[in-house]
Amino acid sequence: MLQLQGVKGRLHALDGVFLNENRYDHRCCGLPQNACRGTTALNPRFAPNARNLTLWERSMLDQSELLNVLSQNDRQVLFDQLTEVHFTTGDLLYEPDQNVDFCYFPLGASIASYFVLTDDGSIVETLMVGREGALGGIVSAGIAPSFARANVMNGGAFYRIPLDRLERIKRSSPAVDALFTRYADCMMAQVFQSIACSAIHTIEQRAAKWLIAATERIGRNDIAMTQEQLAAMMGIGRSYASRVVQRFKLDGIVRTRRGGIEVTDAHALSRRACTCNARVKRHFERVLEGVYPAV
């Protein structure tokens, strides 16, 4: 029977087992913009030797915290099948009812989110995924239609793997299979907490929570996000979001610029936020220690 021991930065199998555009050039893959799957194109002006690096070596530069908990042997099995791709903010990964044929792992400051489309045509964010996680084929075993839309919220590098190859690896590696099972549990915890948060917490608490979650994943305090986008993701009117952001500004917690929000006092912002992020983080630490990003 497989046993897993959670250790900071590793999972041991005991029985056999917001934008970093300066570093990348985006080259069109030939598909329409809303169907783009990204391309690998490192800019040699900023990473002159990057083309000679293996995915293993690249992982030390652009972290996937989820993959880094695997042992070296199990991680290499995955890396042999991974491709590094680059997306810009706003790129579409999946549409509802579209077959999910790839699993994506955000790297470094890259972020993607799942959105649910409502009857009136608006969209509401349900789950944010950064370097602590993955998108596509997590709960289902193999290719299945997507229920939600998935968009890139902070552009950058991702790893991707075809789902049929991922399923073969999971069948042959108990440690990889256990990793995805445990991450699926963490993902469901985020969804459950998001539902509760939307039902009982104020707009100010939810906005503060979202900004904290974004800065944790990006690793810096400057978020490429307009107030209109923040309102749309939270499923609220722009005027509500603007009033909240203005209160944060007056209290010296954030600054705004064209197309962005900068958190200037993260501790004060945390005090305004609900405890949902902390609850999710505690669950991550119990199930996948060392994976949830820390500021």
Side-chain angles (χ1 to χ4, degrees):
M1 180 176 180
L2 180 71
Q3 297 178 344
L4 292 176
Q5 177 183 358
V7 178
K8 196 79 170 177
R10 291 290 184 271
L11 266 179
H12 296 291
L14 301 181
D15 290 333
V17 177
F18 261 21
L19 303 183
N20 193 13
E21 293 180 351
N22 284 343
R23 294 187 58 191
Y24 299 94
D25 284 332
H26 181 69
R27 298 175 184 170
C28 180
C29 60
L31 294 173
Q33 182 176 1
N34 65 356
C36 180
R37 286 291 184 272
T39 57
T40 305
L42 293 172
N43 187 334
R45 293 175 300 168
F46 296 93
N49 300 317
R51 294 182 188 277
N52 297 323
L53 296 179
T54 65
L55 282 180
W56 178 270
E57 293 166 327
R58 294 280 306 147
S59 73
M60 299 300 103
L61 302 175
D62 293 313
Q63 294 288 324
S64 166
E65 302 293 353
L66 182 66
L67 296 182
N68 283 347
V69 302
L70 288 168
S71 68
Q72 179 172 340
N73 289 340
D74 288 306
R75 195 174 357 165
Q76 190 61 58
V77 170
L78 269 174
F79 280 3
D80 289 342
Q81 301 297 323
L82 292 173
T83 302
E84 185 179 324
V85 295
H86 179 257
F87 293 105
T88 58
T89 300
D91 280 349
L92 181 68
L93 300 180
Y94 313 115
E95 280 278 27
D97 300 322
Q98 177 186 1
N99 279 346
V100 177
D101 46 6
F102 289 98
C103 178
Y104 295 93
F105 302 89
L107 303 178
S110 301
I111 296 176
S113 291
Y114 285 109
F115 295 89
V116 171
L117 280 65
T118 62
D119 290 339
D120 64 2
S122 60
I123 61 173
V124 179
E125 185 190 52
T126 59
L127 182 67
M128 182 193 304
V129 181
R131 64 187 185 274
E132 84 290 348
L135 302 93
I138 304 302
V139 179
S140 62
I143 295 174
S146 175
F147 177 78
R149 172 181 292 171
N151 280 96
V152 176
M153 300 305 298
N154 199 63
F158 290 68
Y159 289 153
R160 76 176 179 189
I161 183 172
L163 283 186
D164 57 346
R165 297 182 189 176
L166 178 59
E167 289 305 311
R168 288 199 297 269
I169 292 173
K170 287 162 66 176
R171 287 193 294 269
S172 63
S173 171
V176 173
D177 185 56
L179 174 69
F180 278 85
T181 299
R182 287 177 174 231
Y183 176 64
D185 180 84
C186 292
M187 177 182 279
M188 292 304 298
Q190 286 179 272
V191 172
F192 292 153
Q193 195 66 47
S194 176
I195 294 170
C197 183
S198 297
I200 65 175
H201 291 142
T202 67
I203 292 174
E204 179 175 296
Q205 288 175 313
R206 291 165 54 202
K209 176 203 72 171
W210 191 94
L211 291 170
I212 289 294
T215 56
E216 286 179 338
R217 286 163 172 80
I218 295 172
R220 63 176 187 269
N221 292 332
D222 191 19
I223 305 166
M225 170 67 57
T226 66
Q227 295 178 43
E228 290 86 350
Q229 291 170 324
L230 179 63
M233 289 197 311
M234 294 177 59
I236 61 177
R238 184 192 181 283
S239 61
Y240 292 107
S242 295
R243 285 200 290 270
V244 168
V245 172
Q246 287 303 315
R247 284 200 295 270
F248 290 164
K249 287 177 63 176
L250 289 173
D251 293 336
I253 297 174
V254 304
R255 284 196 293 258
T256 58
R257 58 172 176 77
R258 184 176 180 84
I261 301 173
E262 180 186 358
V263 177
T264 55
D265 191 337
H267 294 295
L269 186 62
S270 295
R271 291 194 293 269
R272 299 289 183 91
C274 56
T275 61
C276 290
N277 280 344
R279 289 175 177 271
V280 169
K281 187 171 184 176
R282 284 198 298 271
H283 190 72
F284 262 87
E285 287 301 310
R286 286 194 293 267
V287 178
L288 282 172
E289 184 182 3
V291 169
Y292 195 88
V295 178

